[in-house]
Amino acid sequence: MWKKTAVITAAVIFLGAFNASGDCSVVHASTTQQQIDKTKDEMNKLEDQLDKTQSSIDKLENNSSKLQKELNRLNTQLMEVTENLTNLEQQISAKEQEISETQEALDRAKETERQQHTSMEAMMRCMYEMRQDNYLSALLEAGSLTELLNKADNIEKTVSYSRQKLEEYQKNRIFIEEEEARLQTEREELEGLFAQAAEEQDKVNKLIRETSTAIERNEDDIEAAEKKAKAYEEELRKKEENLETLQKKLAEEIALSQAAQQGVWRDISDVVFAETDRYLLANLIYCEAGGEPYEGQVAVGSVVMNRVLSSKFPNTIAGVIYQKGQFSPVKSGRLALALQVNKATDKCYRAADEAMAGITNVGNCVFFRTPIPGLTGIRIGGHIFY
């Protein structure tokens, strides 16, 4: 990994050396400068495309965030509606049980009333059919006035009691009928509320399906944007390497780590980590070395931590990673996409943990990149660390 500005500066030095050697060198330098200018122009265009892709990614991320919030809100609403439906179902079930018990009580009350009414009719019919003289004779057969009065009183009490019980049974039956009607009305109201809740549940489910589909489409768009950004990164890398090829003697100038070696270094114990540092570093390792062996992933994390410890770079993980022009996944937006869905693997997290613990397998190297002619360093997987 190296800065384009450093390469261009070295190119000027290289061209100056050619100018001092004679006319032929001047012509050759001029041709080389044209090629350099052309390559620089192509690189600028690629960077513009990267900027546009990053802008597109930012919009997709914002849209994804809004869709996820809407989905969370809908899921919460669905839970509330479902809970309401469950409560209504329980209330309707309880109400139906009350109605069933009330109907049974009503049936019993009607049967009791019917039996009492039948008994009253039989008694009245018997008394009506009994001739008055026989009735009077039955009373006169009493042995005494007291017995006569008792018999008359008993007959009257029997008739009065039967009439009273019939009225009580009638009132009880009417009360139960009214209670049944009330319960039926309440059940109808509950069924109406249940129908409304079920309709709302259907609407929320439909919105959830639509939002989920939109999120899937957005994720597809993000994936496509990520591939596009990665392709721009690769093309830009090739342009940079082509520029390096045009400037053969500039390869040694890329080893900017020499400046860092001369600076002041902090101890790992002096570093204060932010809560999100591990998450950030692991996802950067994924973007830069997700396909590399584990040693290569540790090495990338070590480079970041070496920069944190060096006085030549920012003293925080976030400061190092987001330093302008240093890590291509930041520029292209791939890191932002990885952070959004946490693409870092367990291996990436282990590598981040080792690096943050001060473990390094690349010494004090503060740069890395894909191999190019003339660049020496520690080779791990598809990267050279220097």
Side-chain angles (χ1 to χ4, degrees):
M1 173 179 284
W2 49 280
K3 297 182 180 179
K4 185 177 72 176
T5 53
V7 176
I8 303 305
T9 302
V12 174
I13 297 172
F14 180 54
L15 291 176
F18 269 124
N19 287 338
S21 62
D23 293 339
C24 182
S25 296
V26 171
V27 174
H28 178 70
S30 175
T31 302
T32 302
Q33 184 62 51
Q34 291 176 357
Q35 291 176 309
I36 291 174
D37 291 341
K38 180 181 178 182
T39 302
K40 284 170 58 179
D41 183 60
E42 292 173 348
M43 290 174 66
N44 288 333
K45 289 180 180 179
L46 283 172
E47 288 185 344
D48 288 341
Q49 290 176 316
L50 274 173
D51 289 338
K52 291 178 181 178
T53 302
Q54 179 61 58
S55 177
S56 175
I57 289 173
D58 290 341
K59 291 179 181 178
L60 288 170
E61 286 178 344
N62 290 333
N63 189 42
S64 180
S65 177
K66 290 178 182 178
L67 287 171
Q68 191 59 54
K69 287 180 180 178
E70 176 64 11
L71 183 60
N72 292 340
R73 185 189 69 79
L74 289 171
N75 282 327
T76 300
Q77 185 178 350
L78 179 61
M79 289 176 61
E80 294 173 352
V81 171
T82 302
E83 183 178 354
N84 186 36
L85 278 172
T86 301
N87 291 335
L88 287 171
E89 284 179 337
Q90 293 174 349
Q91 292 180 49
I92 290 173
S93 178
K95 195 64 64 179
E96 288 177 343
Q97 180 63 28
E98 286 186 66
I99 291 172
S100 177
E101 293 172 355
T102 302
Q103 287 175 338
E104 291 176 2
L106 180 60
D107 292 339
R108 290 194 297 270
K110 288 179 178 179
E111 179 60 21
T112 301
E113 181 186 2
R114 186 191 65 76
Q115 292 177 358
Q116 183 64 23
H117 193 273
T118 301
S119 177
M120 281 282 295
E121 285 182 343
M123 183 171 37
M124 297 302 293
R125 190 184 313 105
C126 180
M127 292 177 63
Y128 179 77
E129 291 175 351
M130 186 184 298
R131 287 205 297 248
Q132 187 175 1
D133 55 345
N134 290 338
Y135 181 63
L136 184 58
S137 295
L139 292 174
L140 293 176
E141 287 177 358
S144 65
L145 179 60
T146 300
E147 186 179 353
L148 175 63
L149 293 175
N150 285 339
K151 285 185 176 182
D153 186 52
N154 287 337
I155 293 172
E156 182 64 26
K157 284 182 177 179
T158 299
V159 174
S160 177
Y161 177 78
S162 296
R163 184 178 295 108
Q164 180 183 349
K165 296 303 292 183
L166 180 61
E167 289 175 355
E168 288 179 4
Y169 294 148
Q170 288 175 338
K171 288 180 180 179
N172 186 54
R173 188 253 306 159
I174 293 172
F175 171 77
I176 295 175
E177 287 177 343
E178 291 174 348
E179 185 69 8
E180 181 186 31
R182 181 184 66 80
L183 292 172
Q184 292 284 7
T185 299
E186 290 179 356
R187 182 178 66 177
E188 290 173 1
E189 291 175 352
L190 287 171
E191 288 176 343
L193 291 174
F194 183 85
Q196 292 176 6
E199 183 179 354
E200 184 178 0
Q201 185 185 48
D202 290 340
K203 290 180 180 178
V204 174
N205 276 323
K206 182 180 178 182
L207 288 172
I208 287 176
R209 288 193 298 271
E210 292 174 350
T211 305
S212 297
T213 301
I215 288 176
E216 290 176 2
R217 287 198 301 266
N218 197 70
E219 288 176 350
D220 291 341
D221 292 341
I222 288 176
E223 185 177 354
E226 183 180 17
K227 289 180 180 178
K228 190 175 182 181
K230 195 170 183 178
Y232 285 148
E233 283 181 26
E234 181 63 20
E235 191 173 353
L236 186 59
R237 183 186 65 79
K238 290 178 179 179
K239 292 295 181 184
E240 289 173 343
E241 291 179 356
N242 182 41
L243 185 61
E244 293 163 0
T245 302
L246 294 174
Q247 304 158 81
K248 296 178 181 179
K249 292 185 179 181
L250 300 181
E252 68 238 23
E253 301 294 338
I254 299 175
L256 298 177
S257 61
Q258 293 178 0
Q261 306 306 320
Q262 304 300 320
V264 178
W265 286 71
R266 295 191 300 159
D267 188 78
I268 189 69
S269 61
D270 296 329
V271 179
V272 177
F273 293 108
E275 184 178 351
T276 57
D277 280 350
R278 181 173 182 264
Y279 182 79
L280 177 60
L281 181 56
N283 277 278
L284 177 72
I285 290 172
Y286 170 82
C287 291
E288 290 284 14
E292 294 291 317
Y294 179 68
E295 292 76 11
Q297 296 177 358
V298 174
V300 170
S302 298
V303 165
V304 174
M305 286 308 305
N306 283 342
R307 291 192 181 193
V308 172
L309 298 176
S310 170
S311 61
K312 299 297 182 179
F313 296 91
N315 60 0
T316 64
I317 287 179
V320 166
I321 290 176
Y322 289 110
Q323 187 177 14
K324 186 176 181 181
Q326 296 302 302
F327 295 93
S328 58
V330 176
K331 173 70 174 176
S332 68
R334 281 202 305 124
L335 176 61
L337 292 171
L339 289 170
Q340 185 178 3
V341 295
N342 188 20
K343 286 194 171 183
T345 63
D346 291 340
K347 286 173 60 178
C348 293
Y349 274 105
R350 290 203 307 273
D353 289 337
E354 286 200 38
M356 292 172 70
I359 297 172
T360 174
N361 57 354
V362 291
N364 291 335
C365 291
V366 289
F367 292 96
F368 69 91
R369 61 157 300 125
T370 52
I372 57 173
L375 180 62
T376 59
I378 301 173
R379 178 72 179 263
I380 301 178
H383 289 136
I384 290 182
F385 296 82
Y386 54 97

